[in-house]
Amino acid sequence: MSFPFLNSTGSLISVLNYKAEYMAYRITPNSSAKSLVMKIRGTKGKSQKGLVFSSTGATASYTREGAASVSFPLVSLATASSSWVSGGFKELSQALSGGLYRVDVPNAALVSGAQYVLISVSFTGTLEEEVLVQLDQPFVSASGTGAKSHTVQVNSTAGNVPVVAAAVWVSTDLAGDNVIASGRTNTFGSATFLLDVGTYYLWVLDEAYLANNPTTITVV
């Protein structure tokens, strides 16, 4: 079976890793002015409300694949919708979503050359929270050279919810050696291929998708 090279462009897509206790994002390498949402908890695991950039023990850093951690200062934001600034930090809404904070990621953390970066934030009396950012291309809207537009839907095996940014590709053979189209699912868990009339095999690669590969698809 072949694993196709995915050559695509896209924007920030946020997904919750259903097997872990952290938020995971996919961001296109060399992106700039990106903000993440982090949940910060106290040492007993409950949401920690009311933190600001200068709260006691404020520590923030990013760790790129294969590199040492780099600290960066947290900076005050006037509101949760203020313009991006490197290190910007603000609770989204203490009344409605206490414990959820916006963190503006330094551009240097997102440059190409690494497959992932971990963003870490902690304060005195809180757990050290981390967000995983995968540095790859989120999705393509269409791939292939056929005459027909064919859309596929990818849902998680557990929960049957759309899988965002899953790697998907189409082959003409059951072994998966002759790949003719590839891409990633969009924010709705779907991907569109341009294929000629016929029968093909769809392959999906994502930790939330546990069904057997491939799936037969028919284009009419």
Side-chain angles (χ1 to χ4, degrees), residues 75-83 85 89-91 102:
V75 178
S76 178
L77 294 172
T79 70
S81 59
S82 295
S83 298
V85 58
F89 183 82
K90 183 70 175 180
E91 189 169 19
R102 167 182 156 183

Side-chain angles (χ1 to χ4, degrees), residues 18-166:
Y18 82 105
K19 290 183 176 180
E21 294 182 353
Y22 54 77
M23 289 296 294
Y25 287 77
R26 283 185 170 97
I27 300 180
T28 304
N30 297 317
S31 295
S32 60
K34 295 298 183 181
S35 302
L36 309 180
V37 173
M38 297 185 67
K39 182 175 184 177
I40 298 181
R41 299 166 294 171
T43 53
K44 294 184 178 180
K46 295 184 178 180
S47 297
Q48 187 72 44
K49 302 179 181 181
L51 295 170
V52 296
F53 77 105
S54 58
S55 291
T56 303
T59 302
S61 65
Y62 64 84
T63 306
R64 288 167 54 83
E65 177 191 23
S69 298
V70 177
S71 63
F72 62 90
L74 295 179
V75 178
S76 178
L77 294 172
T79 70
S81 59
S82 295
S83 298
W84 176 92
V85 58
S86 182
F89 183 82
K90 183 70 175 180
E91 189 169 19
L92 298 186
S93 171
Q94 188 169 345
L96 299 177
S97 55
L100 291 179
Y101 295 84
R102 167 182 156 183
V103 180
D104 292 351
V105 182
N107 291 334
L110 305 178
V111 297
S112 60
Q115 295 187 48
Y116 65 84
V117 59
L118 287 168
I119 310 299
S120 176
V121 176
S122 65
F123 298 84
T124 299
T126 72
L127 300 174
E128 183 173 351
E129 306 288 2
E130 293 180 335
V131 168
L132 171 67
V133 178
Q134 297 183 23
L135 298 174
D136 63 11
Q137 311 293 352
F139 66 88
V140 292
S141 58
S143 174
T145 58
K148 298 282 188 175
S149 177
H150 185 84
T151 299
V152 298
Q153 178 67 38
V154 178
N155 291 333
S156 65
T157 306
N160 198 35
V161 297
V163 179
V164 177

